Amino acid sequence: NNNNNNNNNLDSIFKKQPGTLTSIYMTDNLVSDFIRFAESNTSRDIETCGVLTGKYLHSEDSYLITHVIIPKQKGSANTVQTLAEEELIGVQEKYGVITLGWIHTHPSQTCFLSSVDMHCQLSYQIMMNNAIAIVYAPKDKTETFTLTKKGINILSNCNCQGFHRHEGVSGLYQKANHVHLAKHQKCKFIDLRKK
C-alpha cells in the first residue's frame, strides 16, 4: 500500500498522468527554414528529410528541438533515404543533442504517413516513445504525427518492406498532441549534403 502512495507522489511531482508523452517544443523557424532547405528538391518532385535533434530541459520536464540536421540522402517522388549515418551521429555527439524525430516533404502528395514512413517512425519511437514525424506537403498542409500504441504493436510485428497495406487496420498514427511552439527561440540547421 505504501508503494501506491509513493507512486502518486512521484506522479504529482512530475505533474504528468501515467502514459502521457513528454512535451516537445519546436521553434517557429523550424518548418519555414526546412522548406527553404528542401526547395530545390521540392520543385523537382523529390522528397527531402531532416533529423530533429535537441536537449532535455530538466526544469520544464520537456524537450526542445535545437538543431535540424539534414543528412546526405537519396530521394524520389515518394521516398527518401538517409545515407552516411555515421556523419549524423558525429554531429549529434559534437553538439550534445539527442534525436527527437524527423521531418520530411511530400512534394506532390497529401499530408499523411505512408507505410514506409510509419516503419521509419517506428524506428524513432522505439528509441524514444515521444519522437515525432513532421510532414510538409506544399499541396496540402504541414502536420506533426506520432504512432499510436496500436500502431507500434502492429508495425513491430510487420516484416513487409517497401510500400504495403496494413489491411483492415486504421488508427496506426495520429496528430501529435504533445508538441508545442517555443516562442522567441530559433533552431539551427546543419546541412551535411554538401560536405
Side-chain angles (χ1 to χ4, degrees), residues 75-112:
S76 72
N78 53 23
T79 61
V80 63
Q81 190 182 358
T82 60
L83 308 169
E85 294 194 353
E86 66 285 350
E87 260 182 51
L88 187 64
I89 293 162
V91 170
Q92 287 190 243
E93 283 173 356
K94 177 181 171 185
Y95 291 97
V97 290
I98 55 171
T99 303
L100 298 172
W102 64 307
I103 181 169
H104 78 289
T105 58
H106 279 186
S108 53
Q109 300 185 69
T110 56
C111 188
F112 68 105

Side-chain angles (χ1 to χ4, degrees), residues 3-49:
N3 277 353
N4 283 350
N5 289 347
N6 287 348
N7 288 345
N8 289 345
N9 289 347
L10 284 176
D11 286 339
S12 65
I13 289 167
F14 293 110
K15 296 188 189 69
K16 272 205 327 227
Q17 292 299 309
T20 55
L21 296 173
T22 303
S23 292
I24 293 178
Y25 282 85
M26 59 187 250
T27 58
D28 53 11
N29 70 313
L30 194 159
V31 173
S32 56
D33 284 5
F34 179 73
I35 290 170
R36 281 213 322 271
F37 279 97
E39 187 49 48
S40 65
N41 278 349
T42 303
S43 63
R44 295 178 295 138
D45 196 20
I46 296 171
E47 287 193 8
T48 306
C49 74

Side-chain angles (χ1 to χ4, degrees), residues 20-188:
T20 55
L21 296 173
T22 303
S23 292
I24 293 178
Y25 282 85
M26 59 187 250
T27 58
D28 53 11
N29 70 313
L30 194 159
V31 173
S32 56
D33 284 5
F34 179 73
I35 290 170
R36 281 213 322 271
F37 279 97
E39 187 49 48
S40 65
N41 278 349
T42 303
S43 63
R44 295 178 295 138
D45 196 20
I46 296 171
E47 287 193 8
T48 306
C49 74
V51 178
L52 309 173
T53 68
K55 300 185 185 251
Y56 178 66
L57 309 174
H58 287 273
S59 60
E60 311 283 324
D61 184 31
S62 62
Y63 294 90
L64 174 67
I65 298 170
T66 56
H67 295 76
V68 177
I69 306 168
I70 303 175
K72 287 190 171 72
Q73 53 194 269
K74 192 173 77 179
S76 72
N78 53 23
T79 61
V80 63
Q81 190 182 358
T82 60
L83 308 169
E85 294 194 353
E86 66 285 350
E87 260 182 51
L88 187 64
I89 293 162
V91 170
Q92 287 190 243
E93 283 173 356
K94 177 181 171 185
Y95 291 97
V97 290
I98 55 171
T99 303
L100 298 172
W102 64 307
I103 181 169
H104 78 289
T105 58
H106 279 186
S108 53
Q109 300 185 69
T110 56
C111 188
F112 68 105
L113 290 183
S114 71
S115 55
V116 172
D117 295 341
M118 285 192 274
H119 279 277
C120 183
Q121 177 61 14
L122 177 67
S123 64
Y124 285 103
Q125 266 182 259
I126 283 172
M127 307 285 274
M128 191 160 212
N129 70 341
N130 61 335
I132 57 171
I134 303 173
V135 179
Y136 162 63
K139 292 185 163 59
D140 187 14
K141 61 185 174 185
T142 301
E143 196 66 79
T144 306
F145 299 114
T146 186
L147 297 176
T148 59
K149 280 197 172 84
K150 176 183 178 182
I152 290 169
N153 289 338
I154 287 173
L155 292 159
S156 296
N157 292 305
C158 171
N159 297 318
C160 296
Q161 300 285 311
F163 291 104
H164 57 280
R165 282 187 161 351
H166 296 104
E167 288 299 341
V169 181
S170 61
L172 299 183
Y173 66 91
Q174 64 189 16
K175 189 175 166 186
N177 297 318
H178 62 292
V179 179
H180 312 284
L181 200 61
K183 294 184 175 71
H184 318 300
Q185 302 214 42
K186 299 278 182 251
C187 65
K188 294 188 172 69

